[in-house]
Structures are given as structure tokens and as C-alpha cells.
Amino acid sequence: MLDESLLDSPEGLAEADQRGLLRGAAEAGARVRTAARHATEAGVGELKPDGRPRAVLIAGPGAAATHAADLLGTLAGPGSPVTRLAPTGVAPAAGALRWELPGWAGSVDLLLIATPDGTEPGLSLLADQAYRRGCAVAAVAPAGTPLADAVAGAAHGLFVPMATAPYEQDEPLAASAPGVLWALLTPLLALLDRIGLLTAGPDALEKVADRLDHIAERCGPAIATYSNPAKTLAAELADALPVIWTEGTSAGPAGRRFAAALAELSGRPAVVAELPEALAAHSALLAGPLAASADPDDFFRDRVEEPPALHARVVLLRDRPIGGLTAAPGARDLALSHDTPISELEPDAGGELETLSELIAITDFAAVYLALASRA
């Protein structure tokens, strides 16, 4: 059950936020600026690349590397393939994970390593393997870790210290935590901008930081639910199965990250798909037992003794306004024809990186509010 009264209690939210998730979301803009400064101090702006790499490989544990690969691959486009190297192992523990380069990887490829831990022996071994193959290696991880030593001392290695906050040292970081994403992603954006794979120069990153600051003002804990889009979305998703539909290139990774954050931070399952294919993929789901109209006797349910039934709610994320070719009207028609409520988010105008950051920021806040109010 969601304690909606907690959403409008900044003091209660602060007390419930033992992992510093709200602080991480609120400080996302500052984290981008700090991470960009770390990248500059590490020498990213002074690099003289010989040309674009044939492929970019990304390795790291869990959702942090998955989200980074998804976002970078989307921004770089199909002309510069970005591939995540999935780990193997018997457990998701730092000492148990191992990564392997594909057989074709060599001197014309770039390996990126992103981890909020840095103690994984498998990542240090991967860096050594890449050096033997002639791959260039760049890593973002906490300073003073074994991975930092393994990468910083290599001739073809670049290490950027991860931008961390003091309160994040108390316990292991959640891979989907807002601060983790921007601390790892920002230096990689600056690096790929330098080698010409995407556009994310200093001005673009400053605009992202400004947009994140603006969202923090709109979605912060002191802003009431009725005028707070993140709190409103969290309240709408109480006792609902989020069916996340995305439209537009950059909305896709934002939707996939939202689903992952809901699972990891608040323990909520979600399904996600891109329009227009989502209409066919989820049509049966909306017509089945999860539809809001599936239980006509729900009106007579004892709302004190019986838990509420789980019903679907569509969350439509778009990275562009309606116009031209859009499946948004069809999405609304399908949802409403099955009495399924729909929530919509669309960013303000701006560059692709700005609009993507806005969608991520609002949904990050929503996932955190849902996590905190559900555990009260």
C-alpha cells in the first residue's frame, strides 16, 4: 500500500530515505558538473584520437553498465555500434563476475569500463586482456580502487574518478540510483564527444545539468503532489502494473531505465515496449485479467480487509510533441477502450540529450517516491 500522506511530508520522506536516493536525484545536475570536471582533469579534452573506433564495448556490473550502454548506443546511432559485454559467474558478487572480449576485438576498438565499485577482479583482468589485444581502454570508477590502478598505469588507458558523495560511502550503491547513472555516464559522454561518436561537449553537458536542476526544483520533496509530476506519477502507479510505452528514439532508454529502477528501488514489476509495436505486443495484456474492467465486482470489495487488485496503467513517454507520424492517439484509444488509465510525460523542447535527461530525471524521482512511500 502506498502512503500518499508521506508524499507531502518532506520530513517523513527524509526520514524514510535511508539510502540517500532523493538526495541523489536532487543533486543530479551537480553530479553532472562534477563528473564533467573530473573528465577534464583526467585529460579527456586533450585527447588526439586517430579516428573513430570500429566498435565501442562497455563492461560493468548490473544496471549501471546496462543503462550506460543503452543510452550511449542510442545517442551514437547505428553507425557506431555500442555493445555491452555481459558478465558470467555464479553470483552477482564483485569477486564472482567475469567478462570476456569478443574474439574479433582488437586495436581499432574501444573498451569502456563503468562501475560504482571498482574492486571487481574480473574488470581488472578484462583491462589486461584488452591491453594485450591492443584495445584502448577508458574506465570510470571510484578513485583508489584496484581497477583505477590497473587502468591508470597503462599506456593506452584513461581513468576518470567517479563523482561520489560522502553519504554514498555508508552502504553499497544501488545500480539504478540517480546519482550513480550520471556519475558514470557523464565522463563517457565527454569521451565519446571527443572522438566524434556523439555530440556532448561542455556546453551540451552544462545544458543537461541545468535541465536536471530545473527538474529537481519541479519534483523535489517540498513540492506538493498536485503540482509535482514525479509525485503524481508515483501516486498513480500505486497498486498498478506499469505498462511503459515509449515513442521517439531517446525515449526508449528512458523507459527501459524506468522499468529497471521500479524493480530495483521499489520492488515493482513493469513491462516496457516502444510504439507502435507496443500496441500489438500489449494488446492482449490490456484485454486480460490485468485490465481495469476485468473485475466488475471490485466495487464491492472490502477495502479494509482485502488487498486491492493489480491493474495495468499505461505510462506513455514521448521525446517529441505530437505531430506528424505518431502512434500516441492510437495508444490512448487502445488503453481507454479497455478502461485502462494512462499517464503521459513529454519533455520541454531542447536537444536530444536534454530531453532524454528530463525524462530520466522525472521517472527517477517517481521511482524513488514510490519506493519510499511504499515502505513507510
Side-chain angles (χ1 to χ4, degrees):
M1 294 291 292
L2 184 77
D3 183 359
E4 293 192 33
S5 64
L6 184 65
L7 292 178
D8 285 326
S9 171
E11 297 79 9
L13 287 169
E15 184 178 352
D17 189 15
Q18 300 297 317
R19 295 180 289 174
L21 297 175
L22 270 179
R23 291 185 63 178
E27 296 171 358
R31 194 70 61 99
V32 168
R33 295 186 182 92
T34 301
R37 186 178 71 251
H38 286 181
T40 300
E41 293 172 351
V44 168
E46 300 170 3
L47 294 176
K48 296 179 174 59
D50 296 330
R52 294 159 63 98
R54 175 181 61 179
V56 177
L57 307 171
I58 299 183
T66 301
H67 298 158
D70 194 8
L71 291 162
L72 294 175
T74 298
L75 294 169
S80 301
V82 177
T83 304
R84 179 188 176 237
L85 301 180
T88 58
V90 297
L97 297 176
R98 293 293 182 270
W99 289 262
E100 291 290 336
L101 287 176
W104 48 262
S107 59
V108 294
D109 302 309
L110 170 64
L111 172 65
L112 304 178
I113 300 176
T115 172
D117 188 332
T119 65
E120 303 92 342
L123 289 177
S124 297
L125 293 173
L126 178 67
D128 291 339
Q129 183 184 7
Y131 296 141
R132 292 194 299 270
R133 298 270 197 97
C135 295
V137 180
V140 183
T145 57
L147 179 62
D149 296 335
V151 175
H156 298 287
L158 174 70
F159 176 75
V160 181
M162 178 181 171
T164 58
Y167 59 85
E168 293 176 336
Q169 312 301 324
D170 298 335
E171 54 184 271
L173 296 173
S176 295
V180 173
L181 172 68
W182 294 110
L184 295 177
L185 181 64
T186 302
L188 301 182
L189 288 169
L191 174 62
L192 295 191
D193 172 80
R194 183 61 181 168
I195 61 179
L197 292 187
L198 49 80
T199 302
D203 291 343
L205 292 179
E206 184 60 32
K207 288 181 179 179
V208 168
D210 290 342
R211 182 69 65 99
L212 293 172
D213 287 344
H214 175 64
I215 298 304
E217 293 174 358
R218 290 178 57 200
C219 299
I223 306 301
T225 298
Y226 69 86
S227 59
N228 186 320
K231 288 183 178 180
T232 298
L233 181 58
E236 290 171 345
L237 292 179
D239 306 318
L241 171 70
V243 179
I244 303 169
W245 291 346
T246 67
E247 184 173 56
T249 303
S250 61
R256 291 185 286 273
R257 172 174 167 77
F258 187 31
L262 287 171
E264 182 176 2
L265 302 182
S266 60
R268 299 295 185 100
V271 295
V272 60
E274 297 186 18
L275 293 176
E277 290 88 350
L279 302 182
H282 292 161
S283 178
L285 186 153
L286 297 186
L290 292 174
S293 59
D295 185 8
D297 296 328
D298 183 65
F299 180 81
F300 300 102
R301 173 176 57 85
D302 186 333
R303 299 180 187 275
V304 175
E305 299 296 333
E306 299 179 27
L310 184 68
H311 294 307
R313 184 183 187 97
V314 171
V315 179
L316 178 57
L317 306 180
R318 301 195 310 278
D319 69 358
R320 61 176 183 267
I322 290 181
L325 292 175
T326 174
R332 295 190 194 95
D333 290 343
L334 177 62
L336 297 178
S337 69
H338 295 295
D339 295 328
T340 299
I342 183 168
S343 304
E344 299 189 38
L345 289 178
E346 179 184 320
D348 294 334
E352 183 179 26
L353 194 52
E354 286 179 83
T355 58
L356 175 58
S357 67
E358 179 172 335
L359 288 176
I360 290 174
I362 294 176
T363 52
D364 275 353
F365 267 107
V368 170
Y369 284 130
L370 196 58
L372 299 181
S374 296
R375 296 175 182 176

